[in-house]
């Protein structure tokens, strides 16, 4: 097994592609277990646009960087069977008494779920959408409350077909696929000053699945407020049991 944290402890997030391709070429008779990968995410720290290099050993670990990290890394891992197994580090944030980074003392925040087990981070839903047979429809960056950009991409994870996106009641028609088949990106979405309502919808089994807006959250920033609906009631609407959108 090999541990690597491309983009976190060194290099860029996308360096994983060059690494695994090189292993396939140089050691074709071997197979590799990718035994650790991950990036820290403080849900109280957000940034709209992130690059491919994290700020390890700093006091700023935005959740949005970790989301991009996992989108790219799993996108590569899923396309390379040469990696016979991979292990996310970690499921939950955990205690590390000797450290004091990311704005929280004695905490490693590489978990997909917060230390108190109360909040599932965006990367949690990324893997659920990719791995689970339960339906998932989820708008990301719901905690990026301080919006500075009037024009922004909106990302939706959906494993039950192509989602439709509505901003203030108007459908956004332009959508592209991201790293995997569940990754949908709506580019150049223009927000109004004041309150904006963002909705994702999906049609399945000749039925339109919509939520009751119970998970509606408002994002307030420099003149922009974004209301985002994650449709976490999808399973209930379909008559399924379990936490389909939990």
């Amino acid at each position: 097994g090999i541990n690597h944290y491309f983009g976190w402890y060194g290099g860029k997030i996308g360096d994983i592609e060059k690494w695994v391709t090189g292993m396939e070429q140089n050691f074709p008779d071997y197979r590799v277990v990718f035994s650790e990968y991950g990036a820290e995410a403080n849900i109280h720290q957000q940034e709209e646009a992130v690059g491919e290099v994290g700020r390890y050993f700093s006091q700023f670990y935005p959740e949005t960087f970790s989301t991009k990290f996992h989108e790219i890394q799993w996108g590569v891992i899923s396309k390379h069977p040469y990696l016979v197994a991979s292990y996310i580090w970690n499921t939950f944030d955990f205690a590390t008494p000797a450290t004091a980074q990311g704005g929280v003392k004695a905490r490693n925040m590489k978990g997909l779920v917060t230390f108190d087990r109360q909040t599932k981070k965006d990367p949690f839903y990324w893997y659920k959408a990719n791995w689970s047979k339960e339906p998932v429809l989820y708008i990301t960056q719901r905690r990026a409350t301080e919006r500075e950009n009037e024009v922004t991409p909106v990302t939706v994870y959906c494993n039950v077909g192509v989602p439709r996106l509505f901003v203030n009641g108007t459908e956004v028609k332009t959508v592209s696929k991201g790293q995997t088949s569940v990754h949908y990106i709506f580019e150049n979405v223009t927000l109004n000053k004041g309150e904006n309502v963002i909705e994702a919808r999906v049609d399945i089994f000749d039925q339109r699945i919509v939520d009751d807006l119970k998970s509606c959250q408002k994002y307030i920033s420099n003149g922009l407020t974004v209301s985002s609906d994650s449709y976490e009631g999808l399973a209930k609407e379909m008559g399924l049991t379990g936490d389909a959108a939990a």
Side-chain angles (χ1 to χ4, degrees), residues 108-216:
N108 186 301
M109 290 175 282
K110 291 190 183 76
L112 303 181
V113 181
T114 54
F115 185 79
D116 60 7
R117 280 39 172 186
Q118 297 301 305
T119 304
K120 295 165 184 173
K121 304 176 187 180
D122 282 356
F124 173 92
Y125 290 96
W126 168 245
Y127 288 106
K128 183 163 187 175
N130 277 282
W131 295 349
S132 178
K133 294 181 180 179
E134 296 176 345
V136 175
L137 181 63
Y138 183 83
I139 300 172
T140 69
Q141 290 198 18
R142 58 205 326 96
R143 283 172 290 275
T145 57
E146 296 185 1
R147 295 275 172 177
E148 297 180 356
N149 299 320
E150 185 176 2
V151 178
T152 183
V154 175
T155 295
V156 179
Y157 303 150
C158 184
N159 64 358
V160 285
V162 180
R164 299 170 66 191
L165 187 75
F166 295 82
V167 178
N168 301 319
T170 301
E171 185 169 5
V172 179
K173 296 285 190 178
T174 305
V175 61
S176 60
K177 280 285 187 72
Q179 299 294 328
T180 72
S181 62
V182 306
H183 191 193
Y184 296 91
I185 303 168
F186 297 83
E187 296 281 2
N188 300 318
V189 174
T190 300
L191 303 175
N192 295 331
K193 281 191 174 181
E195 184 167 294
N196 293 265
V197 177
I198 298 178
E199 253 181 38
R201 304 176 187 171
V202 65
D203 296 326
I204 183 172
F205 305 136
D206 297 323
Q207 178 183 4
R208 173 163 292 174
I209 308 302
V210 294
D211 206 300
D212 58 7
L213 302 180
K214 66 182 178 183
S215 59
C216 182

Side-chain angles (χ1 to χ4, degrees), residues 50-91:
V50 296
E52 287 202 37
V53 178
R55 280 157 281 193
Y56 169 65
F57 211 72
S58 76
Q59 294 302 319
F60 191 57
Y61 290 172
E63 180 185 15
T64 41
F65 178 83
S66 178
T67 301
K68 182 174 184 177
F69 176 99
H70 285 287
E71 288 173 348
I72 293 174
Q73 299 247 321
W74 175 249
V76 173
I77 293 168
S78 65
K79 295 177 178 68
H80 287 272
Y82 185 85
L83 300 174
V84 295
S86 60
Y87 297 89
I88 303 164
W89 191 261
N90 200 357
T91 304

